[in-house]
Amino acid sequence: MAPVTVGDMRLLHTSDWHLGRTLHGIDLIEHQSAFLDHLVDVVRSEQVDAVLLAGDVYDRAIPPVAAVELLNDALVRLTEHTRVIITPGNHDSATRLGFVAPLLLDRLVVRARVENVGTPVEVPSLDGERSALVYALPYLDPDMVRHRLAGPDLDDAGAAVIPARSHESVATAAMRRIHDDLRCRRSAGPRIPAALMAHAFVVGGEASESERDIRIGGVDSVPLGALVGPGPKDGALDLSGLDYLALGHLHGPQRIGRHHDAANRGPVARYAGSPLAFSFSEMHHPKSSALISLDADGVSDVHLVGTPRPRRLSEATGTLDELLSRVFDSQAQDWVRVFVTDPVRPPQLHSRVKERFPHALIVQHRPALRAGVTELRAITAAHDPVDVSVEFVTDVSGAAPSSAEVDVLRRAYEAALATERSA
């Protein structure tokens, strides 16, 4: 680990646990339990002042009992050593995750209510000598929260202005409350480092196949500027500047926005990513949590702590004879996706591949394309379902749907999403 400077606070940023998720039918609860054991060890050994869990704690709104029990056990152990702050993601039910929030002890805080976004969690250091502010921005469904984020501007009729139906508009309205609060606090006293937890798809982030679609009006992203804010004007001192953005939603660990160095200290915006791979698009991700050091000026260090990998994901392509040869020995125990390229499907294909690769999750016969044959495209969760529907209508009818018909498809899809979220 990086050395800690006296005066630094340490925050551990993690997200997208998706407790209860499976990988092509494989139950991951044992591997998720191993990750949580690892997280408790890191918190204890690195003297972490707070854990920031930026959404998608569970994989669905009504999680299985085993996932609930696993989370309860992990939170009990984590809060023996540090504070834990949780905000819900688009997979979580904000109501269910936050229903006991008023009853929780000081060391466990769940921020699920949109009305509370402008009030930070004040996090003292373990020795009580320093502190930091942590603002929590849960997943903001524009249809569900925009009326609750109305104001303070008034329209011509004197009514509070309601944000537009978009992720950018509701995020901007929520962040106005956060920046106003931070500016007031810093103008009344010394500069306190401040972090934001936010569950959103920020422009510039690289998506995987395993994130659930959150499009509203055909747009699923939020510009980074909506979270960072406009900044100071006319050379004034920036009192509302956040130091670290602890992002959740995208499963690949990654930095977003401008480069961070000694001359430009912030804000630092990162996705922690999911602790486990949930699709083959993530097989090359270096899964990690982010250990953040903060001093009075902002972020002084970011150290990525690698998470345990239960079994490697990989891909193997070749004829059946090639796949059964020694060439693929290094992948024999992987969770592997196998493409068999023989011109004619070999007999007993699946059983022979499974004997060679006992943990194979996908086995497909994919012969080399003949001249004039168009390659088939795999449709994944990363594709816009409305675009897929438009392509289907075009292929079946021979003509592209009209803009009015596309609008009907879009409204029907978003209505189905809203029904799923309210389940």
Side-chain angles (χ1 to χ4, degrees):
M1 296 295 176
V4 184
T5 304
V6 175
D8 281 358
M9 287 198 66
R10 311 199 92 186
L11 307 178
L12 187 63
H13 169 205
T14 179
S15 71
D16 296 272
W17 292 359
H18 288 277
L19 300 181
R21 190 162 188 150
T22 60
L23 176 66
H24 294 280
I26 301 296
D27 189 347
L28 296 176
I29 202 76
E30 176 184 348
H31 307 300
Q32 291 173 328
S33 178
F35 160 71
L36 294 173
D37 290 342
H38 152 83
L39 200 70
V40 172
D41 289 341
V42 172
V43 165
R44 182 175 58 247
S45 63
E46 297 303 320
Q47 298 183 325
V48 171
D49 295 299
V51 172
L52 311 185
L53 176 46
D56 282 353
V57 182
Y58 293 122
D59 190 55
R60 52 185 184 270
I62 305 178
V65 172
V68 176
E69 292 175 342
L70 182 59
L71 178 64
N72 289 349
D73 176 71
L75 293 178
V76 167
R77 291 189 292 150
L78 286 169
T79 53
E80 290 176 355
H81 305 286
T82 190
R83 285 171 173 77
V84 179
I85 306 170
I86 303 173
T87 194
N90 56 294
H91 280 247
D92 301 308
S93 164
T95 301
R96 291 187 177 93
L97 195 62
F99 85 104
V100 294
L103 306 178
L104 297 178
L105 300 176
D106 179 54
R107 282 182 168 250
L108 177 59
V109 179
V110 178
R111 283 297 176 90
R113 288 177 52 82
V114 175
E115 291 78 6
N116 293 336
V117 295
T119 303
V121 180
E122 299 186 41
V123 180
S125 60
L126 294 178
D127 60 11
E129 296 295 323
R130 299 165 302 283
S131 64
L133 302 175
V134 177
Y135 295 88
L137 197 67
Y139 169 66
L140 301 177
D141 183 318
D143 289 330
M144 299 180 67
V145 305
R146 66 194 192 97
H147 289 85
R148 293 152 65 186
L149 290 170
D153 297 331
L154 303 179
D155 60 19
D156 294 339
V161 175
I162 298 172
R165 184 177 178 265
S166 73
H167 289 286
E168 179 177 359
S169 292
V170 295
T172 300
M175 290 305 301
R176 176 187 292 183
R177 300 185 183 189
I178 290 173
H179 289 298
D180 287 348
D181 180 84
L182 182 56
R183 186 180 300 109
C184 288
R185 290 173 185 271
R186 284 182 173 162
S187 63
R191 188 186 194 280
I192 303 174
L196 170 73
M197 302 167 60
H199 194 92
F201 188 172
V202 178
V203 173
E206 183 177 347
S208 305
E209 294 176 357
S210 57
E211 294 105 7
R212 181 175 294 173
D213 183 70
I214 58 172
R215 290 177 178 88
I216 295 292
V219 179
D220 58 359
S221 57
V222 174
L224 181 59
L227 303 182
V228 173
K233 295 181 180 179
D234 302 325
L237 183 64
D238 187 4
L239 297 176
S240 66
L242 294 159
D243 299 301
Y244 184 76
L245 308 186
L247 302 176
H249 180 59
L250 298 186
H251 292 172
Q254 54 195 288
R255 173 75 191 277
I256 302 294
R258 63 191 183 186
H259 182 65
H260 172 75
D261 56 29
N264 179 15
R265 301 196 64 181
V268 177
R270 284 198 64 89
Y271 280 100
S274 60
L276 300 177
F278 298 127
S279 70
F280 279 94
S281 66
E282 302 170 55
M283 62 185 175
H284 300 303
H285 287 178
K287 298 297 187 180
S288 61
S289 302
L291 184 59
I292 313 304
S293 296
L294 291 169
D295 60 25
D297 296 321
V299 176
S300 59
D301 183 67
V302 177
H303 182 78
L304 302 184
V305 184
T307 60
R309 182 172 64 177
R311 191 181 298 278
R312 187 176 65 169
L313 267 73
S314 67
E315 187 175 286
T317 302
T319 65
L320 184 58
D321 286 342
E322 291 170 342
L323 292 166
L324 300 180
S325 72
R326 297 291 302 275
V327 173
F328 291 90
D329 279 357
S330 63
Q331 295 174 253
Q333 297 303 314
D334 290 358
W335 280 326
V336 63
R337 177 168 61 180
V338 180
F339 298 121
V340 183
T341 60
D342 296 73
V344 178
R345 182 183 177 91
Q348 301 177 318
L349 172 62
H350 192 271
S351 61
R352 294 169 73 184
V353 169
K354 288 289 286 187
E355 184 177 358
R356 178 70 173 93
F357 303 99
H359 304 287
L361 300 181
I362 298 175
V363 179
Q364 292 183 0
H365 179 223
R366 185 177 290 183
L369 290 176
R370 299 186 302 275
V373 177
T374 302
E375 183 178 5
L376 296 176
R377 273 194 313 123
I379 302 300
T380 71
H383 292 81
D384 183 347
V386 177
D387 290 343
V388 175
S389 300
V390 168
E391 291 182 13
F392 174 77
V393 172
T394 303
D395 289 342
V396 171
S397 66
S402 67
S403 59
E405 290 169 331
V406 173
D407 188 50
V408 170
L409 289 171
R410 174 74 60 190
R411 292 201 307 270
Y413 170 62
E414 291 179 357
L417 276 183
T419 300
E420 180 181 356
R421 285 192 294 265
S422 63

